């Protein structure tokens, strides 16, 4: 025999909910007395307070092992990469000689990029260093901060310096300058105490033919040891990394040319196929003429 439960009216359900929220007879709020709620709140206050204290202590201990100036782990930056300026999307340097707007954006970017290299700024902020040797500045137990940096003067870039240049880095005449820079790696002794330089070439035979002749500044694309090691942004406040300027003199017009530049240094590998930017950079150059 099935016993049917008595169906409660809507009013009864509401009254039961009211009594559950607050029972005036037992003075219970949501089924618990004030003392019970106090013990629960005290428990969770102590529990989460303990977790917060443990987390804060753990973070404090961890931060004691981390330097404000040098990354703790640099295993992913063993080989510095190269990059070009002007920085463009997809590393395409496209110049339409007859269209000022097509190359003026490159000129503006280069003006801003090279401003810290002005000779007057370099003379004010940085040191004249002895070429051919690393500019080491050890702490020797006492924090040596900030580190001094060696001068890299804009005039070292020759006809690519843009100083008093009516051709605007050669972009208005179809002989553009492209600047190569090595990415910064803290405490990295580039070159392993041997001379190093940047070389550029067409990626394929047809690219080499269409690339034509070019000149590099400083001569032979040399990068001096005195600009290393780099001690980090907070330590090396006025550091300006060395540049190599490449001026392309007679690129075949209206043809896309694939160019690759590499750093030739004893301790920088440039043949890692898994990392296309390790010690090298590839970009496309096109000079459009009508």
């Amino acid at each position: 025999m099935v016993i049917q439960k008595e169906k409660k009216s809507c009013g009864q359900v509401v009254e039961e909910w009211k009594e559950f929220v607050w029972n005036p007879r037992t003075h219970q709020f949501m089924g618990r007395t004030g003392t019970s709620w106090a013990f629960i709140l005290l428990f969770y206050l102590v529990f989460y307070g303990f977790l917060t204290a443990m987390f804060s202590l753990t973070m404090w201990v961890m931060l004691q092992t981390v330097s404000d100036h040098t990354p703790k782990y640099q295993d992913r930056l063993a080989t510095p990469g190269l990059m070009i300026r002007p920085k463009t999307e997809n590393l395409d340097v496209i110049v339409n000689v007859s269209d000022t707007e097509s190359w003026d954006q490159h000129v503006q970017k280069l003006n801003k990029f090279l401003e810290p290299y002005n000779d007057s700024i370099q003379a004010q902020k940085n040191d004249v260093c002895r070429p051919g040797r690393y500019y080491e500045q050890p702490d020797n137990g006492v924090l040596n901060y900030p580190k001094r940096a060696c001068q890299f003067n804009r005039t070292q870039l020759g006809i690519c310096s843009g100083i008093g240049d009516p051709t605007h880095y050669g972009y208005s005449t179809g002989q553009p300058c492209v600047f190569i820079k090595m990415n910064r790696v803290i405490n990295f002794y580039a070159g392993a105490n041997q001379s190093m330089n940047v070389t550029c070439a067409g990626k394929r035979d047809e690219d080499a033919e269409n690339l034509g002749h070019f000149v590099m500044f400083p001569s032979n694309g040399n990068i001096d040891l005195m600009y290393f090691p780099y001690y980090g942004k907070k330590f090396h406040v006025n550091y300006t990394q060395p540049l190599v300027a490449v001026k392309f003199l007679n690129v075949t017009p209206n043809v896309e040319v694939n160019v690759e530049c590499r750093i030739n240094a004893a301790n920088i590998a440039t043949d890692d196929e898994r990392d296309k930017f390790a010690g090298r950079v590839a970009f496309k150059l096109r000079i459009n003429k009508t």
Side-chain angles (χ1 to χ4, degrees):
M1 181 178 178
V2 179
I3 301 176
Q4 294 183 348
K5 286 187 176 181
E6 181 181 354
K7 189 175 181 180
K8 296 179 182 179
S9 65
C10 182
Q12 289 176 317
V13 173
V14 172
E15 287 299 324
E16 288 181 358
W17 270 102
K18 285 183 178 180
E19 187 173 336
F20 171 72
V21 174
W22 173 247
N23 190 325
R25 298 189 308 275
T26 60
H27 296 88
Q28 290 181 335
F29 175 70
M30 299 186 72
R32 292 185 179 275
T33 63
T35 303
S36 177
W37 278 115
F39 278 121
I40 289 177
L41 292 175
L42 179 62
F43 168 79
Y44 281 107
L45 179 64
V46 172
F47 177 69
Y48 285 111
F50 175 76
L51 291 182
T52 302
M54 283 292 295
F55 176 77
S56 300
L57 179 63
T58 303
M59 290 296 295
W60 180 83
V61 171
M62 184 191 71
L63 290 174
Q64 302 313 300
T65 67
V66 178
S67 170
D68 290 336
H69 304 92
T70 306
K72 188 174 180 66
Y73 300 105
Q74 300 185 72
D75 55 304
R76 297 188 64 182
L77 297 173
T79 303
L82 298 184
M83 188 49 66
I84 67 167
R85 291 293 185 272
K87 187 177 181 180
T88 62
E89 187 175 356
N90 299 323
L91 299 182
D92 294 341
V93 181
I94 302 175
V95 179
N96 190 338
V97 176
S98 60
D99 181 10
T100 304
E101 291 185 2
S102 73
W103 50 262
D104 185 63
Q105 57 178 328
H106 300 323
V107 173
Q108 298 305 320
K109 289 178 181 178
L110 291 177
N111 285 338
K112 184 176 180 180
F113 173 67
L114 292 175
E115 184 176 354
Y117 291 89
N118 288 340
D119 291 20
S120 58
I121 296 177
Q122 289 292 309
Q124 178 184 359
K125 295 183 176 181
N126 293 336
D127 295 343
V128 177
C129 300
R130 179 180 173 183
R133 57 183 294 181
Y134 294 120
Y135 191 31
E136 296 180 280
Q137 303 170 73
D139 292 334
N140 293 328
V142 179
L143 187 63
N144 181 10
Y145 169 82
K147 307 288 188 183
R148 298 290 295 174
C150 294
Q151 292 183 19
F152 188 96
N153 293 312
R154 189 168 176 173
T155 50
Q156 293 177 239
L157 300 173
I159 56 177
C160 284
S161 67
I163 300 174
D165 181 10
T167 69
H168 306 286
Y169 305 100
Y171 283 83
S172 64
T173 59
Q175 296 179 318
C177 292
V178 176
F179 297 84
I180 313 296
K181 71 182 188 71
M182 186 190 306
N183 294 336
R184 305 175 184 184
V185 177
I186 295 176
N187 291 327
F188 179 68
Y189 287 77
N193 239 343
Q194 301 177 40
S195 61
M196 55 185 165
N197 72 315
V198 172
T199 55
C200 297
K203 293 198 71 172
R204 298 184 293 269
D205 291 341
E206 56 268 30
D207 292 319
E209 183 177 344
N210 291 324
L211 186 61
H213 296 92
F214 56 85
V215 290
M216 308 183 80
F217 305 93
S219 61
N220 299 318
N222 290 329
I223 296 180
D224 201 279
L225 299 178
M226 66 182 176
Y227 300 107
F228 304 93
Y230 170 62
Y231 288 102
K233 188 175 182 179
K234 287 189 175 182
F235 267 143
H236 245 151
V237 179
N238 297 316
Y239 181 81
T240 44
Q241 59 212 99
L243 304 174
V244 171
V246 188
K247 186 174 182 64
F248 299 95
L249 300 175
N250 55 345
V251 176
T252 302
N254 307 315
V255 174
E256 188 176 90
V257 182
N258 295 286
V259 185
E260 184 176 75
C261 296
R262 295 172 178 255
I263 178 73
N264 301 303
N267 58 347
I268 301 178
T270 61
D271 54 358
D272 187 353
E273 292 302 322
R274 296 172 300 177
D275 189 350
K276 300 295 184 180
F277 291 92
R280 55 184 167 166
V281 62
F283 59 95
K284 294 179 181 178
L285 180 64
R286 183 183 178 97
I287 311 297
N288 292 327
K289 293 183 179 180
T290 55

